[in-house]
Amino acid sequence: MFFTIYDKTDGVWLAPTRLAGRKWAPGVIAVFENRSDPQPSYLIWLGWQSGEISFIRDYRHAPHVVTGTDLLLAADIKSAGAIATA
């Protein structure tokens, strides 16, 4: 249900990512309000428990959370061969 809101929003692009220096784990999504933006506008953090989403933290109204973070988008991780299995 949560992601259907983003599906209906034109121009928004969601990209799986990780924070540099941390072990790969699913759960961080970079949100770009325009696909051509070099940096995401904000982040969504997903918590997982027993293979299911246990919480969602959407930082849309707290864009400062992304400021100063070193993010690696999934495409960058894959091309660098840096994906480790969780």
Side-chain angles (χ1 to χ4, degrees), residues 5-71:
I5 296 167
Y6 283 98
D7 186 45
K8 295 177 183 177
T9 306
D10 289 334
V12 173
W13 177 50
L14 305 178
T17 189
R18 76 169 195 177
L19 301 174
R22 298 191 184 213
K23 182 179 176 185
W24 172 260
V28 180
I29 299 173
V31 181
F32 294 80
E33 291 181 342
N34 186 326
R35 194 174 184 116
S36 64
D37 290 344
Q39 293 292 319
S41 302
Y42 57 95
L43 300 174
I44 298 172
W45 175 30
L46 304 175
W48 294 84
Q49 186 173 10
S50 301
E52 296 183 5
I53 296 174
S54 60
F55 69 84
I56 300 172
R57 301 287 189 272
D58 188 334
Y59 292 100
R60 181 177 188 175
H61 299 290
H64 62 277
V65 171
V66 77
T67 303
T69 57
D70 192 9
L71 302 173

